[in-house]
Amino acid sequence: MNVFSKLVHIPFTWDVIPDTGTEFQNAHVIIGLSFGIGPDNTAGKSNVALAKVAQSLSSKFALPSILQWEIASCISGFDREVTISKHQDPEKYLDTYEVLRQAYAICKKNVPTRGGITAIIVAHPDHVWRVEMTAKKFGFKTLIPNTYDVPYDQHSTQEWTRSFKKFIFREIAARIIYLLKGWI
């Protein structure tokens, strides 16, 4: 997809059709990106739902996971995960790009890369388009599970993750910024 095509898709593409699941057996890793933060620095409703998806896929396909801390905090006793909790620059927000940059560096060290790294991307359904485009820019082959049941959390401390109406404007701006930076 070229830059112009991506620009046209930015305000209109919200549904990413999930893969069927049969391809998941060929994946190398699961990468889970959080969506909001609950009250008192807890995971919140959205991340609890994302954790269930990640843990189910990991158990079913015996895959390691690289999870943002909000998702990882929901999985007790889970020993096949790596947690990403901080930006490499402590002054910066841990955003989608940085989570995927760190995940890619971890995979390059630990995953045999003949033929590329195939990652199952676990993200909120309205966030997944930008996550997938960013992951592909890093060189990941992506598989998308069905996360349509992952809700918005009306109590999230990140106001833009409380509802689609609040999320859409911030997400369109983020997509444009990512496009201009060459991240998607």
Side-chain angles (χ1 to χ4, degrees):
M1 190 180 297
N2 65 33
V3 172
F4 179 74
S5 180
K6 286 178 188 172
L7 187 59
V8 170
H9 279 85
I10 282 174
F12 303 111
T13 305
W14 295 98
D15 290 330
V16 174
I17 297 170
D19 291 293
T20 62
T22 56
E23 304 95 340
F24 295 162
Q25 65 193 20
N26 299 318
H28 297 104
V29 65
I30 297 164
I31 301 173
L33 288 89
S34 70
F35 195 76
I37 301 172
D40 300 320
N41 218 27
T42 59
K45 186 163 64 171
S46 302
N47 293 314
V48 168
L50 290 167
K52 288 178 184 174
V53 172
Q55 188 169 22
S56 173
L57 289 166
S58 180
S59 295
K60 184 173 182 177
F61 297 104
L63 292 170
S65 298
I66 301 171
L67 306 173
Q68 203 164 343
W69 73 267
E70 297 91 338
I71 297 171
S73 71
C74 301
I75 303 174
S76 175
F78 192 53
D79 61 354
R80 291 192 312 259
E81 70 185 43
V82 173
T83 302
I84 296 175
S85 57
K86 295 178 185 169
H87 195 290
Q88 71 173 357
D89 178 346
E91 302 295 315
K92 291 189 177 179
Y93 174 72
L94 181 60
D95 62 5
T96 300
Y97 180 86
E98 179 64 12
V99 171
L100 290 167
R101 187 197 66 74
Q102 289 184 34
Y104 189 73
I106 292 164
C107 288
K108 288 294 278 186
K109 286 183 184 176
N110 299 300
V111 177
T113 57
R114 275 196 188 132
I117 301 165
T118 302
I120 299 173
I121 303 295
V122 176
H124 189 280
D126 293 331
H127 182 211
V128 78
W129 184 86
R130 179 165 49 104
V131 175
E132 182 180 31
M133 292 294 109
T134 307
K136 285 180 175 181
K137 196 72 171 186
F138 275 103
F140 284 110
K141 292 179 182 178
T142 59
L143 296 169
I144 307 298
N146 183 343
T147 59
Y148 289 143
D149 290 338
V150 175
Y152 280 90
D153 184 350
Q154 296 80 11
H155 303 291
S156 175
T157 59
Q158 294 177 324
E159 189 173 328
W160 64 91
T161 62
R162 293 180 187 167
S163 69
F164 180 73
K165 188 176 176 180
K166 292 180 180 189
F167 183 70
I168 187 172
F169 298 108
R170 185 178 189 281
E171 180 62 8
I172 289 171
R175 290 176 179 193
I176 291 169
I177 290 167
Y178 273 48
L179 181 64
L180 293 174
K181 289 185 173 190
W183 294 353
I184 62 171

